[in-house]
Structures are given as C-alpha cells and as structure tokens.
Amino acid sequence: CKILRCNSEYVAATLHLRGPGRSAAFCTALRSYSLCTRRTARTCRGDLAFHSAVHGIEDLMIQNNCSKEGPTAPPRPRLPAPNPQGFESLDICDYERSFLYKHGRPPGFQHCAAFGDPHIRTFHDDFHTCRVEGSWPLLDNDYLFVQATSSPVAKGSNATVTSKLTIIFKNMKECIDQKVYQAELDNVPAAFQDGSVNGGTRPGGSSLVIWERSPGRHVEIRADYIGTTIAVRQAGRQLSFSIRAAEEVARAFTEEQDLQLCVGGCPHSQRMSRSPRGRSRVPAETARALCREMLPVEDVYFQSCVFDVVTSGDTNFTMAAHGALEDARLFLPDAEKLHIFQ
C-alpha cells in the first residue's frame, strides 16, 4: 500500500500555496491526490490511512468547490533514497524538507511572543502579563537559548519592558557555527555579534540568515536547519520577540531547563492583572480609542495595548501590540487560535 506516498506528494504540492490563485492550484492538487489513491485502491483496501485519505479528499473538494473533472498535476519526481550517512543527499540543513521526507507530512509548529509590559504568549497559547525585572530565559533548549532583560517602564511603576534580547543559536555540527544575536533599545542590528549575516562557513551556513525588515526597528532571523523563524522589533522604548518553532525543537529540553517563559509562562509570583490600577498616565478611554485604531478586535492584544498605554503614557505601545499580532498572523499554524479572549 503506497498511500503514504500519495499523502506526501499532496502535502508537497500544497505546502507553499498562497495568494489569490491558490484555489485553482489547490483543486488541481486534490484531483491528483484522488487519482493517486484510486491507483492504490486494490492494495490499500484494508488500510485505515487509505480510507481516511479518501474521505478527507471528498470533504476538501466540497469545502473548496472543486470539480472532480479537470487538470491534475504531473507526478512529482521521487526523492533519492537516503544514503548510508543519513540524509545528506536531501540536505539535512533543511528541516521542513527532511521532516516531510521522513514522515510523509509537514512538521507541526508552535508560536511564542513577548512584547509590551512584557506580555507573554506561550507555545501552549496561555497569555500572561509579567512584572519580571532583570534577566529571564524565554527559551532554553538543545538548539536555542533566548534571554530577555527587563527594566521598569516608568519611575515608580510595577510594570516592566524588555530592554535587551540575547539569542544564541547553538552549534550544530553539520550546519552552523554557534551564533549570538543581541538587540538593545535603539540598537537592533541586522547582523550577529561577530558581524556575519549567516550561519558561517559550514556547508549549511546559508540555512541561518538574518534579514532587515525595517532599518533599526525590525529584523527577521530564519533558521531553516531547525524549522524556526524569529522576529525582533523595537516600538517606542521596548523590544519585542516572536518565534515560530518546529514542535520537535520547542520540546527539545530536559527537566533541568524548566524555567522558560515561552513554555511555562510567567511564574505565579510574577503575574499581573491587566486591569490598570494606581496612577494612570493616560485615561483608560483615551487608551482604548488609540488601541482600537490599531487593534479592532478586543482580544488580549487589545487589552495589553490599553494596559501599556495607561501605565506608561507612551502611545508607541499601540505599535508593539500591533506588531505582535502581525507576527502571530504569520507564525501561527492555526489561524483560529490567533485571537485569545480573557
């Protein structure tokens, strides 16, 4: 039964479909998928994965208004068999491609963000507002170490903001040298600490690249060798961090690496209510009106925006929440989880 081959060909054909022409190409891929399953019907009759695929195709064709008659995509060329050394022939420094080859499906992804006060959105879609001051690890696993340093948002305030971010991409023998990226307020460089913009001289050096999206304000770091993308932004007097990480990478840590804000959120003793209390620097209704211009949905991003503007008096915090929401739109594997309401 070759149903897994049909599955992987369909996934590979639809993996990068985006934009207005997506539906026609999607229907073509579904018809090809259906044709592939019919060809394997005799040998797959008793296979649950086969029957699941057949029913899934029917549902998807109905949902996308696809006709059963029409063009099909030509069969994709088969990938070479792995050699005795592993997946060198496929390029082991392309995580998504290697995962698809090995498992017949694309990898799962998780999203974490830290912005504003700081507010933390964890890999498990929990959302906390923290009063953490000093340096705290956002991530600490086999591949990445990310540390955020916070300081008070204003004199006499309990609220804090991220003023420095340190990201360490740990040495991966086949792909990259260890690389360190560091951003501070008014210094968001488009290069690693050693001045380079990629993973070094190893064969997979180009699988780690840093891009400048907005000079001095927004950089994106793509770590294809671990299926991970990171965004670092500055809005006003604070830095923000967003990550889309492969599930396998996000979970690659031991019990000793238990303090990670992206995994467990803020420690209970460090959590704050998002109902602004004490001295307001901007009236709550004014803050709500400002935040509504950037964030029309009154979710946790909106609530965080209001909290930050009220407690800091800095209207640039509307941009911090907006940037975090934009990153979530790009990075979240499940769009239905984009908004969190608390």
Side-chain angles (χ1 to χ4, degrees), residues 78-286:
R78 295 201 66 182
L79 292 166
N83 61 30
Q85 283 73 44
F87 285 88
E88 282 81 359
S89 59
L90 198 151
D91 186 3
I92 54 170
C93 297
D94 187 329
Y95 180 88
E96 290 189 50
R97 196 170 166 218
S98 297
F99 191 98
L100 178 64
Y101 182 78
K102 287 185 262 188
H103 302 282
R105 61 176 177 82
F109 294 95
Q110 294 181 322
H111 169 59
C112 169
F115 67 97
D117 179 63
H119 312 285
I120 307 290
R121 179 175 187 146
T122 75
F123 283 137
H124 310 295
D125 301 316
D126 294 320
F127 201 94
H128 302 147
T129 295
C130 314
R131 63 161 55 88
V132 290
E133 195 169 343
S135 297
W136 293 73
L138 293 171
L139 283 170
D140 182 10
N141 61 41
D142 294 349
Y143 304 97
L144 285 166
F145 178 79
V146 182
Q147 181 173 276
T149 301
S150 298
S151 52
V153 64
K155 193 173 180 181
S157 172
N158 279 331
T160 56
V161 290
T162 300
S163 53
K164 182 177 178 181
L165 280 165
T166 303
I167 305 169
I168 300 174
F169 296 87
K170 297 181 181 178
N171 174 51
M172 193 164 170
K173 184 174 151 188
E174 307 89 341
C175 301
I176 66 146
D177 303 317
Q178 177 171 295
K179 291 288 176 178
V180 178
Y181 178 80
Q182 198 161 80
E184 298 184 64
L185 286 176
D186 300 324
N187 183 18
V188 181
F192 296 106
Q193 267 199 323
D194 62 3
S196 65
V197 294
N198 60 32
T201 56
R202 297 184 187 184
S206 61
S207 64
L208 175 63
V209 181
I210 185 165
W211 300 95
E212 188 172 55
R213 296 300 183 199
S214 176
R217 295 280 155 182
H218 179 196
V219 299
E220 184 177 287
I221 306 171
R222 293 187 60 93
D224 290 341
Y225 68 101
I226 50 173
T228 294
T229 304
I230 291 172
V232 174
R233 298 174 183 259
Q234 177 173 337
R237 305 304 300 159
Q238 65 89 44
L239 298 173
S240 64
F241 167 86
S242 294
I243 185 170
R244 173 189 187 256
E247 288 178 353
E248 203 173 43
V249 171
R251 294 173 183 160
F253 58 89
T254 63
E255 288 181 13
E256 289 76 37
Q257 296 163 300
D258 59 340
L259 181 58
Q260 301 180 64
L261 301 191
C262 274
V263 176
C266 307
H268 282 279
S269 63
Q270 301 295 320
R271 295 180 193 175
M272 297 176 69
S273 164
R274 276 187 302 281
S275 299
R277 294 191 179 97
R279 187 173 62 183
S280 297
R281 294 169 186 269
V282 170
E285 277 313 305
T286 303

Side-chain angles (χ1 to χ4, degrees), residues 17-37:
L17 289 184
R18 292 185 180 89
R22 176 186 182 278
S23 55
F26 193 68
C27 289
T28 299
L30 279 171
R31 284 190 290 268
S32 301
Y33 193 10
S34 179
L35 180 64
C36 188
T37 57

